[in-house]
Amino acid sequence: MNPKMVLPQILIFTVLFSGCADFYGEENSKEFTDSSLDSSPVKHVPVNGVELGYREFGSGEPLLLIMGFGGKMDTWNKTFVWELAQDYRVIIFDNRGVGYSSDSGENYSLELFASDTAGLLDALEISPAIRQSNCSITDLDL
């Protein structure tokens, strides 16, 4: 899969403060506990010579959350992820060399991270996501 064709379509969430507005008013959402997200096992998949660690929550259309460079997937706002998981299959992962992912010693670059992200989507058999703009959602265009 060519990262330049896939990545412009991947949804990237940037949480500036505590997530999207009007986010906490759901009356029908399941009860959230601090251990709910931590209980999801870390899975690994081989991509471009490294093992990428990832977790999945919920079901439905896939929604990939990409943490900024150096950030661990476990630092996502748990309430934010939990609310998204009520309607989507949410996937979070650690970039190479961070958290649960291994490192090959290769020099980091945007192209390498883009290729890793596309490889993760391939390994999980997820087709490119639909572009959408809402709240703090940003499209990545390399």
Side-chain angles (χ1 to χ4, degrees):
M1 180 179 293
N2 182 344
K4 290 187 179 190
M5 292 177 61
V6 173
L7 288 177
Q9 299 178 25
I10 295 176
L11 293 178
I12 299 176
F13 283 78
T14 305
V15 180
L16 298 176
F17 296 99
S18 64
C20 296
D22 207 37
F23 182 75
Y24 301 98
E26 285 287 318
E27 291 180 15
N28 296 329
S29 66
K30 297 178 185 174
E31 184 177 335
F32 171 78
T33 63
D34 283 338
S35 62
S36 299
L37 297 181
D38 294 334
S39 64
S40 176
V42 176
K43 301 175 189 175
H44 291 86
V45 64
V47 173
N48 297 331
V50 297
E51 293 282 324
L52 294 181
Y54 70 97
R55 293 181 186 211
E56 296 181 276
F57 311 95
S59 61
E61 290 295 314
L63 185 61
L64 180 67
L65 303 184
I66 304 174
M67 180 57 68
F69 178 73
K72 297 178 183 178
M73 68 175 153
D74 293 337
T75 59
W76 279 105
N77 179 291
K78 292 178 181 183
T79 303
F80 181 65
V81 174
W82 179 254
E83 288 294 327
L84 290 172
Q86 303 309 300
D87 297 311
Y88 298 97
R89 173 186 172 198
V90 178
I91 301 131
I92 59 175
F93 73 104
D94 284 330
N95 285 302
R96 65 171 56 222
V98 176
Y100 297 102
S101 294
S102 65
D103 190 6
S104 66
E106 191 171 348
N107 289 333
Y108 295 159
S109 68
L110 288 176
E111 291 79 14
L112 182 60
F113 288 122
S115 180
D116 288 348
T117 302
L120 175 64
L121 291 173
D122 277 345
L124 298 178
E125 299 179 353
I126 297 173
S127 60
I130 298 171
R131 288 180 91 154
Q132 177 180 347
S133 180
N134 186 10
C135 297
S136 296
I137 302 170
T138 306
D139 291 314
L140 175 64
D141 197 355
L142 297 178

